[in-house]
Amino acid sequence: MAFLKLRLVYACLLVVGALCVYFSMTPFPEEPFIFKKKHGKFLQLPAIDCSRNPPFLVLLVTSSHRQVAARMAIRKTWGREMTVRGRQVRAFFLLGATASPEQMAAVARESQQYGDVIQKDFKDVYFNLTLKTLMGMEWVHHFCLQADFVMKTDSDMFVNVHYLTELLLKKNRTTGFFTGYLKLNEFPIRNRFNKWFVSKYEYPWDKYPPFCSGTGYVLSSDVASQVYNVSESVPFIKLEDVFVGLCLAKLKIRPQELHSRQTFFPEGLRFSACRFRTIVACHFVTPQELLAYWQALEGAREEDCQTAA
Ligand SMILES: *[C@@H]1O[C@H](CO)[C@@H](O)[C@H](O)[C@H]1NC(C)=O
Ligand SMILES: *[C@@H]1O[C@H](CO)[C@@H](O)[C@H](O)[C@H]1NC(C)=O
Ligand SMILES: *[C@@H]1O[C@H](CO)[C@@H](O)[C@H](O)[C@H]1NC(C)=O
């Protein structure tokens, strides 16, 4: 009887062991994805003629169909058509396509009303962020090479367009420039239960190239164009910021700091008008917070910040 029980235990262990081996050996089910530069066609283009009226800075904001409130808040705050120190700043939203005709029609209406949507017909899902970002680079390449700088950022960000413009003017670098929150020593996450899991099949190397956090990075428009140009000869990876890093490595362009002090905050940052006056970007900002922060910043006087800075 005891012997039989032991055999049963062994059998169970064997089954569990076999399952473990099976799950660790079988490749993660994913289809090879060959990136094509001409992936999809433009469905919406923004109302701007860069050759006639070149902006200094173009903000490319990744967005999804449901984030209407975020887009509206951005249009009223940092995405507003602005002139900073005589330089024009414009914001555009990057969108893909959904299967819902209602959502597609709503975005088409929004695009018509505000003239600030760049949309292509790839499937709008989180892990198509690389395609979304490259669509932005493609748009710069084809339609707005006259811009001086491009910033890629997200819809849940605060961006201090004034301070960014000031720092870019002070930096006085017009070509070959790439900056943001630098990530110089990052490694692929091999735990398949992590959101940012990357299989060895997708990325066989042990270390990522230098890149900047996808929450917000800034590049000169020639770099945007070159990133688009080399994108097809770089292995595709769904992590958008790493993919851009691979393109930069190929182009031998190294991301660099914009300021000796930290100005990009990929994590959240507690609001104070004085603090936000001298940062470029911070993450995890709701549309309501964004509107409130903006109002507070416009109301605050610079003199009050002297000691805090
Ligand atoms: C990304 O978009 C392409 C083109 O629409 C689609 O074939 C692919 O399945 C999408 N990727 C994901 C992860 O859904
Ligand atoms: C900016 O750089 C150019 C050369 O690249 C130089 O001629 C010019 O004086 C610089 N301007 C400032 C304000 O430093
Ligand atoms: C794109 O790459 C090709 C070679 O692959 C090169 O001839 C061309 O000048 C590049 N264009 C830009 C805008 O960098």
Side-chain angles (χ1 to χ4, degrees):
M1 203 54 190
F3 180 64
L4 202 67
K5 236 183 193 164
L6 207 62
R7 279 236 297 231
L8 210 68
V9 169
Y10 276 136
C12 285
L13 280 177
L14 212 67
V15 168
V16 168
L19 279 173
C20 283
V21 168
Y22 174 78
F23 279 117
S24 62
M25 300 273 283
T26 46
F28 204 61
E30 59 185 330
E31 286 176 21
F33 182 77
I34 308 300
F35 175 65
K36 284 271 169 276
K37 262 206 291 217
K38 303 212 166 44
H39 208 95
K41 57 176 193 290
F42 282 104
L43 300 177
Q44 301 291 336
L45 286 168
I48 183 173
D49 182 347
C50 290
S51 62
R52 280 201 185 179
N53 194 9
F56 174 72
L57 172 64
V58 165
L59 306 163
L60 299 176
V61 189
T62 53
S63 190
S64 69
H65 291 245
R66 287 175 295 108
Q67 293 170 322
V68 183
R71 284 195 292 280
M72 287 315 296
I74 291 169
R75 285 181 182 118
K76 287 180 187 154
T77 57
W78 53 266
R80 205 160 58 194
E81 208 175 320
M82 263 192 263
T83 306
V84 183
R85 292 184 185 264
R87 267 87 172 175
Q88 194 199 168
V89 182
R90 296 288 299 268
F92 304 117
F93 296 100
L94 307 178
L95 286 141
T98 75
S100 149
E102 293 80 25
Q103 278 184 337
M104 290 297 278
V107 163
R109 276 197 304 275
E110 224 181 291
S111 170
Q112 229 172 14
Q113 185 170 358
Y114 300 102
D116 60 2
V117 174
I118 302 175
Q119 184 190 32
K120 263 189 150 187
D121 64 357
F122 60 86
K123 194 169 153 196
D124 199 310
V125 289
Y126 182 75
F127 279 129
N128 257 340
L129 210 50
T130 300
L131 286 186
K132 199 174 266 186
T133 301
L134 281 165
M135 168 179 74
M137 305 294 171
E138 180 180 0
W139 180 79
V140 172
H141 179 82
H142 286 310
F143 300 102
C144 210
L145 261 180
Q146 298 87 351
D148 289 286
F149 296 97
V150 177
M151 177 179 195
K152 183 261 153 187
T153 188
D154 287 341
S155 318
D156 58 348
M157 297 288 293
F158 165 86
V159 180
N160 187 334
V161 179
H162 296 90
Y163 193 56
L164 173 58
T165 303
E166 258 175 49
L167 290 182
L168 286 172
L169 289 171
K170 204 180 282 175
K171 192 85 183 176
N172 195 21
R173 277 284 307 269
T174 47
T175 57
F177 186 61
F178 194 99
T179 191
Y181 181 81
L182 268 54
K183 295 196 159 200
L184 305 178
N185 286 296
E186 300 287 324
F187 304 89
I189 292 170
R190 301 298 192 193
N191 169 6
R192 67 182 65 228
F193 299 108
N194 189 293
K195 185 181 178 187
W196 286 280
F197 164 72
V198 167
S199 68
K200 286 204 166 172
Y201 168 82
E202 189 179 9
Y203 190 85
W205 303 282
D206 288 332
K207 193 169 186 284
Y208 286 141
F211 64 99
C212 287
S213 162
T215 52
Y217 52 80
V218 180
L219 53 162
S220 51
S221 61
D222 63 308
V223 176
S225 168
Q226 287 175 54
V227 163
Y228 171 68
N229 202 15
V230 295
S231 58
E232 223 169 273
S233 51
V234 164
F236 187 88
I237 179 164
K238 62 180 182 283
L239 304 180
E240 161 272 319
D241 43 11
V242 175
F243 181 80
V244 172
L246 287 169
C247 293
L248 294 177
K250 181 122 192 167
L251 295 165
K252 300 195 165 51
I253 294 170
R254 209 179 153 78
Q256 52 182 286
E257 298 285 2
L258 180 58
H259 195 292
S260 52
R261 188 171 45 72
Q262 182 178 1
T263 54
F264 292 86
F265 291 85
E267 308 299 333
L269 191 63
R270 213 159 58 84
F271 179 79
S272 95
C274 291
R275 178 183 285 152
F276 273 47
R277 210 180 266 288
T278 53
I279 70 165
V280 168
C282 99
H283 197 190
F284 302 124
V285 179
T286 67
Q288 293 76 17
E289 284 167 341
L290 184 54
L291 292 166
Y293 293 177
W294 203 258
Q295 207 172 15
L297 277 169
E298 295 204 316
R301 290 180 314 150
E302 201 162 346
E303 305 84 272
D304 302 339
C305 293
Q306 295 300 320
T307 49

